[in-house]
Every structure is written in structure tokens, then in C-alpha cells.
Amino acid sequence: MTIPKDHMQQHPQVQAFFDPQSNTISYLVKDPDSTACAVIDAVMQFDYAAGRLSYDCADEIIAAINEQGLQLEWIIETHVHADHLSGAPYIQQELGGKVGIGEHITEVQDTFGKVFNEGTEFERDGSQFDKLFSDGDRYKVGGLECFALHTPGHTPACMVHVMGDAAFAGDTLFMPDGGSARADFPGGDAGQLYDSIQRVLSLPDDLRLFVCHDYGPGGRAIAWETTVGEEKAKNIHVGQGTSREDFVKMRTERDKQLAMPALIIPSLQVNMRAGEVPRDEDGNMMMKLPVNKL
């Protein structure tokens, strides 16, 4: 895929925030020529046993934005996460900005609206979000040129966001020694994931690539920044020209061995609502526990 020259000439400042509960990395991305910024994949912590929410990671991001005198324009979700709850509405309440996700969120809402037996009051049209991105949509953070790339496979709504010379991969790709994300959730597809990864690997080799999760394979320190070229050369799942057939076989066999994420049930209910916690008819925050549905 060809990226306009003005993209690669823009070098946004990227600040990472690591959540150890879910091994998620959130990002604060600053336009190098203004005070405009964006937040990507913000986290809200959840103590499952106690049923209690906390906002430590989101508060760190808010503090960083305030300390630097930045103006938040976008709060981007790369997809509906299954391993952590989104901190997007909490940050939006504090700082403003538009919350955006891929337009195929409607497929995710339809799938999990059924899993959680949501009533007709749960809108399945993506209207909980301020912006639904289509493949190739262009937008700006201040003067920073950005576009969204549809990368289904992990979920139908996954998108990689390219901002200047930096790309934010969500769960489509991990660090080279981490490989790729699972593709066995409802709506996931290993073949689609391979095709999506090839789209990412067609981007310029020197494009900086930031991943959403890292688990420190082999005991190494947590890391989150690589390049497209490094992924092509060294990624253990797709590097050095791995075929689609071999990838699908590997991914399918590997996924059968993986346990469900610890926070998948609360995460899906919250994240398909743009980070809002569902409430009962009395207005109390309340979640459901579907049995034998996932």
C-alpha cells in the first residue's frame, strides 16, 4: 500500500502507558506542530472479584495531557477489546474529544447483543460512538495526517490507524517475537487475519509500528515499538514470507490451546457500548454472565 510522502515526513510524539492487569499498551499521540493529540486504546481497570472499577491508567493519560497543555481531539479504539474495559468515556468526560471505531462495530454489536441477550434498547448501529471509520478514511489530529486501515480477522471491526510515520496495530500484530493475535472469537477468521497482516506489511518498511499488547515472551522486558520492516523479517508467525495456508493451520491449532481472556465477559459488554457500563432498569451498573455462550 502506498502512503503519501507527507505522512512519512510527519513524526508524531508517542507516549506509551502500560496496564499490567491486561498487558495492554495505551498511547498518547501528539501532533509535532501543534498542541493537538489523540489517545489510542485507553484502559479502565476492573476488579472482577469485587465488581469494582478504577481509572489509574486513564488518570495517567489525563495527567500527561494536562501537564503538556495538549488539546485532545480523538479517542480511538482499534477494535472491541476482549481483555480490558475501555477508558474512553471517562477520558472524554474529562477532556472532550471524539470517540471513534471501525464501522464494522455493528457486526460485533449484533453478534454479542445476542450472546448477552440484550433487548431492543441496545442499539446495534454503532451510534454509541462519535465516529465510525471506513477503510481508507482520512482524518487529522491538528495538522497530523492520519488514515484508518480495515484489518479484520481478530474481530470484524479491527483497524490499524496510521498517523504520520507511526501506525497503531491494535491486536492485528504483536512484537516480532510475539507473533499475531488469536482469531477464534465469534466473527474472527484466521484467513482474514493473514490477509490483513499482509496489508500492514505492505506499508513502508521504516514505518514505526506500535502494538496494543505485549507479554514479554521468554521473560524479556515489555516492549511495544517495532517497524514494518522488522515484522516482515522477524515475526514468528508471518515473517519471511509465511504462506497463508501455513499461517491458518498454525493459528487454528494454537487458538484451540488458548484460554479465554479473564475479563472477556465484562469487556465485551462495556466495549460494544463505547466504554459505557450497562445499567439495570433502576440505573445501577450491572453486567450479565452468559453460560456456555463463548
Side-chain angles (χ1 to χ4, degrees):
M1 182 174 181
T2 302
I3 293 183
K5 289 183 179 180
D6 53 357
H7 264 271
M8 297 304 293
Q9 292 171 353
Q10 291 183 301
H11 189 76
Q13 299 172 24
V14 180
Q15 186 173 351
F17 300 82
F18 179 68
D19 170 46
Q21 181 187 29
S22 60
N23 284 74
T24 300
I25 302 100
S26 306
Y27 295 100
L28 172 59
V29 186
K30 180 187 176 297
D31 172 24
D33 298 319
S34 74
T35 59
C37 68
V39 169
I40 298 176
D41 289 335
V43 173
M44 174 172 62
Q45 283 82 20
F46 184 59
D47 183 336
Y48 207 163
R52 191 167 297 278
L53 301 170
S54 59
Y55 306 93
D56 294 347
C57 188
D59 282 336
E60 284 186 47
I61 296 172
I62 291 169
I65 290 172
N66 287 332
E67 287 169 4
Q68 297 173 60
L70 304 181
Q71 180 65 44
L72 182 60
E73 294 188 352
W74 287 99
I75 306 169
I76 303 294
E77 299 286 350
T78 57
H79 63 293
V80 171
H81 304 273
D83 45 24
H84 71 266
L85 284 65
S86 171
Y90 178 77
I91 292 176
Q92 185 181 45
Q93 179 180 331
E94 296 295 316
L95 298 175
K98 295 179 180 179
V99 179
I101 197 168
E103 64 179 349
H104 292 274
I105 177 62
T106 56
E107 297 176 33
V108 178
Q109 290 176 326
D110 184 60
T111 297
F112 290 107
K114 295 172 183 174
V115 169
F116 292 104
N117 194 28
E118 301 292 353
T120 55
E121 68 275 7
F122 173 56
E123 300 291 345
R124 294 162 168 81
D125 58 0
S127 57
Q128 300 89 344
F129 298 83
D130 299 311
K131 170 67 176 177
L132 301 183
F133 290 102
S134 299
D135 185 43
D137 271 358
R138 297 186 178 277
Y139 63 102
K140 289 188 176 184
V141 177
L144 181 64
E145 298 287 346
C146 310
F147 71 89
L149 187 67
H150 185 215
T151 53
H154 175 61
T155 80
C158 286
M159 300 199 90
V160 170
H161 284 260
V162 180
M163 300 180 168
D165 72 343
F168 299 87
D171 285 16
T172 300
L173 273 172
F174 294 152
M175 294 295 290
D177 60 348
S180 61
R182 65 195 300 164
D184 61 332
F185 293 151
D189 183 277
Q192 276 192 336
L193 180 59
Y194 179 86
D195 296 340
S196 294
I197 290 172
Q198 297 311 307
R199 293 192 76 191
V200 177
L201 297 183
S202 72
L203 298 169
D205 282 356
D206 55 348
L207 186 74
R208 295 182 291 159
L209 191 68
F210 295 87
V211 301
C212 180
H213 294 289
D214 189 64
Y215 304 94
R220 68 152 167 77
I222 297 297
W224 48 77
E225 181 179 353
T226 179
T227 65
V228 169
E230 188 173 17
E231 292 281 8
K232 284 199 292 191
K234 300 179 181 178
N235 187 283
I236 60 172
H237 292 169
V238 294
Q240 298 184 359
T242 300
S243 72
R244 192 178 196 271
E245 181 181 6
D246 287 345
F247 176 84
V248 170
K249 182 176 184 295
M250 175 280 300
R251 190 70 267 169
T252 302
E253 292 175 352
R254 183 179 177 87
D255 288 349
K256 290 177 180 178
Q257 303 171 19
L258 299 176
M260 282 291 177
L263 295 180
I264 186 170
I265 289 175
S267 294
L268 292 174
Q269 292 178 78
V270 167
N271 296 341
M272 69 181 182
R273 292 175 165 87
E276 296 290 348
V277 179
R279 296 177 182 268
D280 64 18
E281 59 186 18
D282 295 323
N284 300 306
M285 291 184 183
M286 196 70 61
M287 299 189 199
K288 298 176 181 177
L289 178 61
V291 177
N292 294 335
K293 291 290 188 180
L294 293 173

